[in-house]
Amino acid sequence: MNLDQLIPRLKADKAFMDCVTEWRTLPAREGRYVPLPDEMDPRLRQVLDARGIHRLYSHQAECFRLAREKRDFVVVTPTASGKTLCYNLPVVSSILENNDTRALYLFPTKALSADQVSGLYDMIEALQVDIKAYTYDGDTQGAARKAIRQAGHIVVTNPDMLHANILPHHTKWVKLFENLEYIVIDEIHTYRGVFGSHLANVLRRLMRLCAFYGSHPRFILCSATIANPVELARQLTGREVAAVTENGAPIGERHFVFYNPPVVNRQLGIRRGVVNEVKRLAENLLRNEIPTIVFAKSRLQVEVITRHMKECVRNAYGYSGRVRGYRGGYLPSERREIERGLRAGEVDMVVSTNALELGIDIGSLTACVLCGYPGTIASTWQQAGRAGRRKDTALTILVASSSPLDQYVIQNPDYFFNASPEHALVQPDNLYILLSHIKCSAYELPFTDGEAFGNVADTGSFLEYLTENNILRHMDGKYYWMEEELPSGEISLRSAKTENFVIIDITDPAHHRVIGEMDRYTVPMLLHENAIYLHDARMFQVERLDLAACKAYIRAVDVDYYTDADLNVSLHILDDLEHKELPNGTDVAMGELRVSTIVKMFKKFKLDTHETVGFGEVRLPQTDLHTTGMWWTVPDAIASHYSNDTLQGALLGVSHLLSIVAPLYLMCAPRDINVIYQVKAPITDKPTIFLYDAFPGGVGLSEKAYQMQELLLEHALQIAQGCHCEQGCPSCVGPVVEVGVDGKTAACRILKELLN
């Protein structure tokens, strides 16, 4: 059965439709086409003809024109609109005209790099010309690296590799830097906040080296639909950028279904579990042979759903390869195998975390099931766009959990369909980040007197500061690097620990094998001793966790339960660096914080019913994050006006408002900061709202927030008062079921009091 036959059956299914709060049909649209440009190399035209491409989409033709005019541009079109040709055509065309031309492709992940370069290889092979395109990342063999440096026409890499390996050793890349014509940056909407701010400075370093070697490359940037693509592209590149936003690709009819599971406890408002409901809906699609992608929010959800789906299709010989799981932690070879199976049509269903949200080619899937609201409008459209990539009818079912945010979105569909996608924000001139990259740039090439770093007007003051601290030496009109260490090695672009744990299967005593990896932060929750670890729907028990060696040893088991751990978070003030008391008694302070996380126990859940069947103790040390933060202490004179429940709802509402406005004024991504409240903070002994940097040591965001705290409070109050909801929604204080019926009113009063 195909999707066009299944959709009428779903609409006629009363049990299904009773749970549907909105069925929105987005009509199909014909493509807008332009003939192949006359100036395109005949060999390239011949290859496109052989692939059945006799004309271009209008946005692809516009990109080719802008590239020929030597313009910087950003192309912003939905998933599966042929963005790859927007940069491959002008780049390959230029190399065909001049064999010395070089291009640098930047992708945010290794998986995306590998996927895109495979399509590039196919085009080059069909051309039968000597164009060398290589992936250069941490997996590239040492012998291949030398060949890439000397002969690579197109070097495909990621920002981390460019920062830590290519730029510091630019003297080995002379051929690339002397002839660099194009810098292609894909998926720029992922470069938000601290990561994007780092990338903007990496590009400043790159352009400085290009100028030294005499090249003047142009930027081609690609983005999914966000609210401010041109602004983001300008901030990343430091240049004026043209925009290509009209999508010329055809779009099939798209059905977007909001599905709210039935209520099982009306008094408590509890609904049927989202995982069980997703399994039931996905099973229906699988049995009707509808190629489907299921997005889950966690690794554990992915494995639980995958295991159930595999049981549905397992044949007499035990084969269940038609269903695959896909998430971080799988080995690269395993992920590539799954991607190949999807493209070849050998896999009917894939269950994934947001790892497949980016534009990896996963073939012609036609349905998408979302296990809970992904958290942002932009991510929801990205995930929904993974289905219907071949102009066919597409179906997306968003299954809501019982969480207040999910319930608000599912019951207020206009909020979702009418709201514009979120902004992506960066702040390249953040003091900490900027200083780090000026150090890296000085190591790569001495600064001369009066030279600016990118568009930073006061570069000289940074250089003087580094000279005074004996990091640089000023001599004969130049600033030279003095220290022995390579500065880029100390800077993580993503400001996260890169140390991973490897997962070793010891089921066969004679043959231990590595089957996966996991980041240090997640290990205490999923790889503690006696945890049940699921991998591609197989069950393993963790026998031993070696923290010092970063290894987890697991053994295959056959049990009918899985485990999940509780994470406890506590916050402590280490040092009060600065504070001021307002006339109404409110204390506003800034200082150093310790955010401690520890896992103390885990629960066992039945695989089929998800009911609790036991628990166990976890004996692992706590993990500490030392960072900087600021906080507002609400005086008793204000807090005494409210009951404990109302006060808690009000503090939650104020925290939610600050988490909305702070990224706008601090020019960072929402994930770069955390805003939490304590009704009675252990240190202050009063109701306290904390705002802190989500990175070790902090990156200056909370210091900036402390300086503009009145502006943050004023904007938070404006948003709350300007919102049309009566008692709360995700756009202001949060859903009413979280903040309470008086939460919004009390939050506004507290904000007014804090503003005195």
Side-chain angles (χ1 to χ4, degrees):
M1 180 182 296
N2 64 31
L3 202 54
D4 290 316
Q5 295 169 313
L6 180 66
I7 285 173
R9 281 182 49 182
L10 288 176
K11 287 185 174 180
D13 183 342
K14 185 178 184 303
F16 179 83
M17 292 304 294
D18 283 347
C19 297
V20 173
T21 61
E22 179 77 4
W23 188 309
R24 190 73 61 100
T25 303
L26 308 176
R29 196 190 70 196
E30 291 298 318
R32 292 191 295 274
Y33 300 95
V34 174
L36 295 177
D38 294 334
E39 58 269 33
M40 184 179 287
D41 189 286
R43 291 168 289 181
L44 197 51
R45 296 170 71 95
Q46 190 175 347
V47 166
L48 294 176
D49 279 335
R51 294 181 170 192
I53 302 174
H54 311 298
R55 49 189 180 165
L56 298 179
Y57 300 142
S58 57
H59 65 276
Q60 293 172 334
E62 176 70 1
C63 291
F64 192 85
R65 181 186 67 79
L66 290 169
R68 300 294 293 185
E69 293 176 1
K70 302 187 183 300
R71 302 265 303 277
D72 300 307
F73 63 89
V74 57
V75 54
V76 189
T77 54
T79 308
S81 56
K83 282 197 285 280
T84 304
L85 283 183
C86 291
Y87 51 82
N88 276 346
L89 288 181
V91 168
V92 172
S93 191
S94 293
I95 296 172
L96 289 172
E97 291 173 13
N98 179 1
N99 193 53
D100 286 334
T101 296
R102 296 292 185 267
L104 181 68
Y105 284 18
L106 291 180
F107 296 100
T109 64
K110 288 182 186 177
L112 196 53
S113 299
D115 176 68
Q116 295 295 332
V117 86
S118 67
L120 188 57
Y121 286 150
D122 292 342
M123 179 185 284
I124 292 168
E125 279 184 19
L127 281 167
Q128 297 182 340
V129 292
D130 188 26
I131 296 177
K132 296 179 174 64
Y134 299 104
T135 301
Y136 190 87
D137 58 28
D139 298 331
T140 306
Q141 298 298 317
R145 294 190 177 198
K146 187 176 180 181
I148 297 170
R149 288 194 292 262
Q150 292 176 350
H153 288 95
I154 301 172
V155 177
V156 182
T157 188
N158 53 63
D160 312 83
M161 202 69 178
L162 178 64
H163 154 71
N165 199 290
I166 296 176
L167 296 182
H169 305 110
H170 59 91
T171 53
K172 297 179 180 179
W173 295 85
V174 174
K175 190 77 173 173
L176 174 72
F177 286 110
E178 283 184 341
N179 299 283
L180 193 58
E181 283 284 329
Y182 292 101
I183 300 168
V184 174
I185 310 177
D186 200 3
E187 308 284 1
I188 67 165
H189 58 281
T190 62
Y191 298 113
R192 292 173 287 186
V194 169
F195 187 25
S197 303
H198 274 300
L199 177 65
N201 282 287
V202 170
L203 295 177
R204 284 168 169 170
R205 288 161 52 196
L206 172 60
M207 297 311 294
R208 186 167 175 257
L209 289 174
C210 287
F212 174 75
Y213 285 104
S215 62
H216 304 282
R218 286 104 68 191
F219 284 98
I220 300 177
L221 306 106
C222 300
S223 174
T225 306
I226 53 173
N228 62 330
V230 176
E231 178 193 0
L232 178 63
R234 286 171 181 164
Q235 288 176 325
L236 289 174
T237 63
R239 297 187 186 181
E240 285 300 312
V241 176
V244 180
T245 56
E246 289 297 321
N247 178 28
I251 298 174
E253 186 175 75
R254 293 175 176 267
H255 296 265
F256 211 114
V257 179
F258 278 20
Y259 183 95
N260 209 7
V263 174
V264 293
N265 186 321
R266 199 162 294 281
Q267 287 76 23
L268 296 175
I270 297 173
R271 295 178 177 273
R272 192 182 294 163
V274 64
V275 172
N276 274 342
E277 208 66 359
V278 164
K279 288 194 299 191
R280 194 175 62 80
L281 296 174
E283 185 179 338
N284 184 31
L285 292 166
L286 187 61
R287 294 198 187 283
N288 284 288
E289 299 182 350
I290 306 293
T292 303
I293 182 167
V294 178
F295 279 106
K297 283 190 173 180
S298 68
R299 299 175 180 208
L300 190 57
Q301 281 186 349
V302 165
E303 292 295 349
V304 169
I305 295 169
T306 302
R307 183 177 174 85
H308 176 82
M309 292 299 126
K310 278 181 172 287
E311 290 300 323
C312 295
V313 298
R314 197 178 300 280
N315 64 17
Y317 302 100
Y319 177 72
S320 60
R322 286 172 52 203
V323 174
R324 299 299 301 265
Y326 188 105
R327 59 170 174 80
Y330 284 11
L331 296 177
S333 56
E334 195 171 2
R335 292 202 297 268
R336 298 299 89 76
E337 178 208 336
I338 296 167
E339 290 160 18
R340 283 194 297 272
L342 283 164
R343 285 195 292 270
E346 297 164 359
V347 176
D348 292 337
M349 177 175 285
V350 61
V351 185
S352 175
T353 56
N354 62 0
L356 279 179
E357 185 178 304
L358 296 177
I360 299 168
D361 182 9
I362 53 173
S364 53
L365 302 176
T366 55
C368 174
V369 180
L370 307 181
C371 185
Y373 177 58
T376 67
I377 293 168
S379 281
T380 307
W381 284 115
Q382 274 287 101
Q383 292 181 9
R386 306 306 281 149
R389 293 174 61 87
R390 296 288 187 266
K391 300 175 246 181
D392 300 325
T393 301
L395 171 68
T396 298
I397 305 175
L398 170 58
V399 184
S401 71
S402 293
S403 81
L405 180 59
D406 280 36
Q407 286 303 307
Y408 184 88
V409 171
I410 212 79
Q411 292 171 13
N412 295 273
D414 286 340
Y415 171 80
F416 174 82
F417 286 105
N418 296 342
S420 62
E422 296 78 7
H423 284 69
L425 303 169
V426 296
Q427 176 51 289
D429 295 335
N430 175 287
L431 187 64
Y432 293 84
I433 295 172
L434 181 58
L435 186 64
S436 298
H437 286 280
I438 288 177
K439 285 167 64 176
C440 293
S441 196
Y443 172 88
E444 291 152 7
L445 202 65
F447 277 91
T448 57
D449 286 346
E451 182 184 352
F453 180 63
N455 52 4
V456 180
D458 58 343
T459 304
S461 60
F462 287 95
L463 298 173
E464 287 298 325
Y465 170 80
L466 294 172
T467 303
E468 290 168 9
N469 285 273
N470 298 319
I471 295 170
L472 301 181
R473 183 180 180 188
H474 190 214
M475 190 173 64
D476 298 332
K478 290 189 175 183
Y479 292 87
Y480 294 91
W481 181 257
M482 281 181 61
E483 294 195 341
E484 293 182 10
E485 292 85 4
L486 185 71
S488 57
E490 301 172 2
I491 303 164
S492 167
L493 299 191
R494 303 169 201 251
S495 287
K497 291 183 178 178
T498 54
E499 193 175 32
N500 274 12
F501 279 62
V502 292
I503 303 166
I504 302 169
D505 178 8
I506 59 171
T507 307
D508 181 355
H511 180 59
H512 292 185
R513 63 191 185 99
V514 174
I515 68 164
E517 60 178 355
M518 190 176 291
D519 62 276
R520 179 176 281 274
Y521 179 79
T522 313
V523 162
M525 289 180 283
L526 298 182
L527 283 180
H528 56 82
E529 291 181 4
N530 295 321
I532 298 299
Y533 175 74
L534 287 91
H535 186 96
D536 198 24
R538 290 172 294 159
M539 314 281 286
F540 298 87
Q541 181 166 301
V542 180
E543 299 285 312
R544 184 164 67 91
L545 179 63
D546 189 336
L547 290 172
C550 296
K551 294 177 181 176
Y553 298 92
I554 62 174
R555 191 184 306 278
V557 291
D558 185 14
V559 293
D560 65 346
Y561 70 91
Y562 65 93
T563 59
D564 197 10
D566 291 327
L567 183 70
N568 298 301
V569 181
S570 59
L571 191 146
H572 307 274
I573 299 172
L574 299 177
D575 195 0
D576 184 341
L577 298 175
E578 198 173 333
H579 76 273
K580 52 192 173 189
E581 188 172 333
L582 304 181
N584 62 1
T586 302
D587 196 47
V588 185
M590 182 194 75
E592 294 181 3
L593 303 174
R594 183 178 76 236
V595 183
S596 303
T597 55
I598 188 169
V599 177
K600 291 186 176 179
M601 66 170 290
F602 68 93
K603 293 180 181 178
K604 301 176 183 178
F605 298 91
K606 286 274 286 182
L607 268 171
D608 48 359
T609 62
H610 303 287
E611 61 187 311
T612 308
V613 292
F615 63 91
E617 189 179 353
V618 179
R619 297 181 180 86
L620 286 174
Q622 74 177 25
T623 302
D624 292 333
L625 166 69
H626 289 257
T627 185
T628 54
M630 66 156 297
W631 54 94
W632 292 267
T633 303
V634 181
D636 293 333
I638 298 175
S640 60
H641 294 306
Y642 308 102
S643 68
N644 277 345
D645 286 348
T646 302
L647 179 62
Q648 181 166 340
L651 292 174
L652 175 59
V654 173
S655 301
H656 194 271
L657 287 163
L658 288 170
S659 68
I660 293 172
V661 303
L664 299 175
Y665 283 98
L666 303 179
M667 292 294 286
C668 67
R671 63 173 180 266
D672 295 340
I673 58 162
N674 284 324
V675 184
I676 65 168
Y677 71 93
Q678 294 178 341
V679 176
K680 192 171 184 180
I683 306 296
T684 63
D685 207 33
K686 290 180 173 61
T688 307
I689 298 167
F690 293 89
L691 183 155
Y692 63 88
D693 293 21
F695 302 101
V699 290
L701 298 173
S702 50
E703 288 98 320
K704 193 174 176 184
Y706 177 75
Q707 292 161 9
M708 57 170 61
Q709 61 94 15
E710 286 186 18
L711 191 62
L712 296 179
L713 296 174
E714 284 173 3
H715 193 171
L717 182 59
Q718 286 171 13
I719 286 179
Q721 292 178 331
C723 188
H724 297 301
C725 70
E726 292 183 10
Q727 296 175 323
C729 74
S731 292
C732 60
V733 295
V736 63
V737 291
E738 282 190 340
V739 300
V741 291
D742 299 320
K744 181 175 179 179
T745 305
C748 290
R749 281 189 61 185
I750 285 180
L751 283 168
K752 289 176 183 176
E753 293 281 2
L754 292 177
L755 283 164
N756 200 29

